[in-house]
Amino acid sequence: MDYRLAYCLQNGLPLDMDVYDLAEWCCLAELGELSMDNNCASVAFPDFTRGEWNKIQGYKHAYATQEEEANSMEKAKTFTKKLKEKKYRDAYGKFVIEGIKLIGEAIQENADIECIVICEDCMKENCIDKKLMYEIAKKNCVYVNSKVFNTITDVSNPQGILAVVKRADTSEKINYDEDAIIVLDGIQDPGNLGTILRTVDSANLKQIVISKETADVFNSKVVRSTMGAIFRVNVVRSDDLVHDLIE
């Protein structure tokens, strides 16, 4: 991302074609038009930077160093690969979501997104709504090449975007005031579990209780199958269903 465009928009400076040609986010063109329509007035603008940027003077370029880019890439690669394992998801209280729809759902539901990993090579082939693009750009984004992205993706035809999300701080106790309490015992198939969560969500129920023998709801396959329901349904894991339900 050429920083001159951000600098111009933030400071109400004139925009020339040179600056536009270097913009990677097409939604910025609309911000530029807004600025020019208001006599180059300053436009509120999210931080599109990658890593630690050099200080800029006037129109000077400010790019992340190769070392900074490499460090960000390696951290994203290592951490997201760790989160493929349940023990690390539990330890960090985080999980991975992948794909344009899921990330859009996460943003819409105000999920706590720690970072978004974007494959620049892959994204050229996928179309993201401009409004969603703008919201994504407000987050902490790490840009990687296709070689790195392919080592961390869990799907065969990735859309080139995934995110690390913090689990919501929900109650671990069953809410007995709900109209209905859905209980799952020993469901192991990720696709089936995700479909059930999606069905619970469509019925406008806010809670589901699962046994310790049931698959991890934050498994990437389960999360994909929920199609966003994971952000709206509180999942309570019970070590003793009989005891908890009688109670």
Side-chain angles (χ1 to χ4, degrees):
M1 168 71 195
D2 186 276
Y3 201 83
R4 287 181 299 165
L5 181 56
Y7 185 79
C8 289
L9 289 171
Q10 286 174 326
N11 294 280
L13 298 175
L15 300 169
D16 57 43
M17 191 54 67
D18 237 348
V19 176
Y20 272 122
D21 287 343
L22 290 168
E24 292 178 4
W25 295 85
C26 59
C27 60
L28 297 187
E30 293 184 357
L31 292 176
E33 290 169 9
L34 178 63
S35 176
M36 288 188 287
D37 288 344
N38 289 281
N39 297 315
C40 292
S42 178
V43 175
F45 195 73
D47 184 6
F48 285 83
T49 59
R50 311 172 190 173
E52 295 298 321
W53 290 81
N54 301 322
K55 296 293 182 184
I56 61 171
Q57 297 293 330
Y59 288 96
K60 241 178 149 180
H61 289 275
Y63 294 102
T65 66
Q66 287 186 340
E67 184 180 356
E68 288 166 351
E69 290 278 4
N71 287 341
S72 295
M73 220 179 264
E74 190 57 36
K75 285 179 182 176
K77 176 182 174 181
T78 302
F79 193 58
T80 51
K81 286 178 80 171
K82 273 188 173 183
L83 292 179
K84 291 183 179 182
E85 298 182 45
K86 184 180 183 302
K87 65 178 181 180
Y88 289 114
R89 291 195 294 270
D90 290 342
Y92 293 115
K94 299 169 186 177
F95 62 103
V96 175
I97 61 174
E98 184 165 355
I100 296 168
K101 176 175 173 52
L102 265 180
I103 288 173
E105 289 275 354
I107 291 173
Q108 184 177 328
E109 297 299 327
N110 294 313
D112 192 349
I113 299 174
E114 182 168 281
C115 74
I116 297 178
V117 181
I118 299 172
C119 172
E120 294 179 305
D121 303 329
C122 309
M123 289 300 293
K124 293 172 185 175
E125 303 171 8
N126 293 289
C127 181
I128 299 180
D129 177 79
K130 289 181 181 180
K131 288 182 180 179
L132 177 57
M133 223 190 256
Y134 185 66
E135 293 302 319
I136 288 171
K138 295 177 184 178
K139 306 296 181 182
N140 174 30
C141 295
V142 178
Y143 296 81
V144 300
N145 55 40
S146 57
K147 183 179 179 180
V148 171
F149 195 87
N150 287 334
T151 66
I152 58 179
T153 180
D154 267 342
V155 298
S156 53
N157 294 302
Q159 292 182 319
I161 188 166
L162 58 79
V164 175
V165 181
K166 293 181 181 178
R167 295 184 189 180
D169 293 326
T170 54
S171 172
E172 295 183 358
K173 293 183 178 180
I174 300 172
N175 180 6
Y176 295 99
D177 294 330
E178 290 283 337
D179 293 335
I181 298 176
I182 308 300
V183 181
L184 303 180
D185 185 14
I187 303 295
Q188 287 296 314
D189 184 88
N192 289 345
L193 180 56
T195 299
I196 294 170
L197 260 74
R198 196 166 71 240
T199 304
V200 168
D201 180 45
S202 66
N204 204 31
L205 297 174
K206 303 301 180 185
Q207 173 185 250
I208 191 167
V209 182
I210 64 175
S211 68
K212 62 181 179 181
E213 290 81 16
T214 297
D216 179 21
V217 293
F218 297 105
N219 173 295
S220 60
K221 291 181 180 178
V222 177
V223 172
R224 282 199 303 275
S225 297
T226 70
M227 296 180 69
I230 193 71
F231 303 115
R232 292 181 288 274
V233 178
N234 181 30
V235 180
V236 180
R237 183 175 288 272
S238 170
D239 290 332
D240 189 340
L241 278 178
V242 175
H243 176 271
D244 289 342
L245 293 174
I246 290 176
E247 187 181 79

